Amino acid sequence: MKEYIDLYIKNRGKIENFIENSIESLGELGNQSDYFYKQLFLTFTSLELVYVVDAKTNIQISPNIYKKNNDNDEKNKDRSYLINKLIIKDNNFAFTKPYQSSTGTLCITVSKKDGDNIIFLDFDLEKLLERVGIIEKHIYFSKIIKGFYFIAGFFMMILAISTIIYGGYNFINHFIQGSDINIDGIFKPIIATTLGLAVFDLAKTILEQEVFFKSYSKESKIEIKVLTKFLITILIALSIETLIVVFKISIHNYDKMINALYLMGGVSFIILSLAVLIFLTKITKE
């Protein structure tokens, strides 16, 4: 869903103008009945929540008004923490950055100062982008894609945990059986654990970005960061494996040392490629 944030930032002026003009056409908003605010959901199909705060006392003077119900528990609560964050423009409007709402959707909050009151409107960003005509989205296909990421992400986590458990089991079992301490008994579990951590971290990133949206911060280089972190973890595992191969060949099959050299060369090439990637990424940022 990072693409929605990119689209919002790219088309922010168009979206804000649409919302401001639509709200201005409704007239006074600050002193209206709950029924009036309910009608706003007919005007804005992307609207999720409406509530009103007294600009002088910072106390919420209306319930949380949703499309199908009202939540009176939120009435009379102090909203100073919201008011203090507002950057109100000359036209009395204020817009927040995209964030995750309590319903789990990606939202923006629009505030309009009207007299002694400030009205807050939470918009579903995805539906808002559709309404403005910036994206065209098939709801069922999107659910299928989200479900696929959900299944794949958790399956990768299960595999990662299984790999770590397998490494630990082999390490403990090696000593329980009274086997002599050797390179395989020590380093093989380390490799399994390292690979498990790499896969788990990748699965976590997939779930956060595509399913749960833990973070909506604008980060244009997040894919590079994830790739870099994953490759570094894999390189650690490959380097350990290379050491094991070198030790084994030097002890038992010295005539096949060239194979160890090929493996070391491959790992070195990956390290150089990663260094170039990091260098180019740094140049791009600057």
Side-chain angles (χ1 to χ4, degrees), residues 1-30:
M1 292 297 178
K2 186 179 76 69
E3 62 270 21
Y4 290 159
I5 300 177
D6 294 337
L7 288 171
Y8 172 74
I9 293 175
K10 183 178 180 180
N11 299 276
R12 186 167 183 171
K14 177 181 179 181
I15 295 171
E16 290 186 0
N17 286 335
F18 167 75
I19 294 175
E20 290 172 359
N21 292 334
S22 299
I23 292 177
E24 288 286 6
S25 66
L26 298 174
E28 183 181 351
L29 295 179

Side-chain angles (χ1 to χ4, degrees), residues 237-251:
L238 286 175
S239 299
I240 295 173
E241 185 66 32
T242 301
L243 285 174
I244 295 174
V245 170
V246 171
F247 290 147
K248 283 185 175 181
I249 292 178
S250 63
I251 295 173

Side-chain angles (χ1 to χ4, degrees), residues 13-225:
K14 177 181 179 181
I15 295 171
E16 290 186 0
N17 286 335
F18 167 75
I19 294 175
E20 290 172 359
N21 292 334
S22 299
I23 292 177
E24 288 286 6
S25 66
L26 298 174
E28 183 181 351
L29 295 179
N31 294 289
Q32 298 290 348
S33 64
D34 292 352
Y35 175 79
F36 174 84
Y37 296 126
K38 281 283 188 182
Q39 301 308 304
L40 294 178
F41 291 93
L42 300 178
T43 304
F44 300 103
T45 56
S46 56
L47 187 62
E48 282 201 332
L49 169 65
V50 181
Y51 58 93
V52 182
V53 176
D54 188 306
K56 294 182 179 178
T57 63
N58 295 341
I59 300 297
Q60 183 170 328
I61 59 176
S62 77
N64 276 3
I65 302 172
Y66 300 94
K67 185 174 183 179
K68 296 182 179 180
N69 63 289
N70 293 352
D71 183 2
N72 289 290
D73 293 339
E74 299 299 314
K75 192 174 181 179
N76 298 321
K77 287 192 175 181
D78 189 355
R79 301 301 181 188
S80 298
Y81 68 96
L82 292 176
I83 304 297
N84 293 335
K85 293 180 181 179
L86 292 181
I87 302 177
I88 300 177
K89 301 190 292 185
D90 293 338
N91 60 359
N92 293 325
F93 279 94
F95 291 79
T96 68
K97 295 179 180 179
Y99 65 94
Q100 185 178 7
S101 71
S102 58
T103 60
T105 57
L106 183 60
C107 289
I108 62 168
T109 295
V110 180
S111 307
K112 172 69 164 61
K113 190 174 187 303
D114 195 335
D116 294 331
N117 297 328
I118 300 177
I119 182 171
F120 289 81
L121 304 99
D122 290 357
F123 290 90
D124 183 320
L125 183 58
E126 183 179 334
K127 292 180 180 179
L128 183 60
L129 291 173
E130 288 185 79
R131 175 64 183 84
V132 180
I134 295 174
I135 63 171
E136 293 183 7
K137 188 170 178 293
H138 194 288
I139 184 171
Y140 296 109
F141 179 73
S142 297
K143 287 182 177 180
I144 292 174
I145 295 299
K146 186 175 181 178
F148 176 81
Y149 278 118
F150 179 85
I151 295 172
F154 274 105
F155 182 65
M156 289 175 66
M157 280 190 170
I158 293 172
L159 291 178
I161 294 172
S162 300
T163 302
I164 294 173
I165 293 174
Y166 174 77
Y169 169 78
N170 278 355
F171 181 75
I172 296 173
N173 190 54
H174 181 79
F175 290 99
I176 291 177
Q177 292 179 353
S179 302
D180 295 333
I181 298 178
N182 54 42
I183 294 176
D184 284 346
I186 296 176
F187 286 105
K188 288 295 184 181
I190 294 177
I191 294 173
T193 303
T194 304
L195 291 175
L197 286 173
V199 175
F200 186 89
D201 191 66
L202 179 60
K204 178 179 71 71
T205 302
I206 291 174
L207 290 174
E208 286 179 354
Q209 296 296 318
E210 303 296 339
V211 180
F212 297 114
F213 316 111
K214 178 179 178 182
S215 173
Y216 285 111
S217 60
K218 170 61 180 171
E219 179 55 79
S220 60
K221 300 297 181 181
I222 189 168
E223 294 87 355
I224 300 297
K225 288 186 175 180

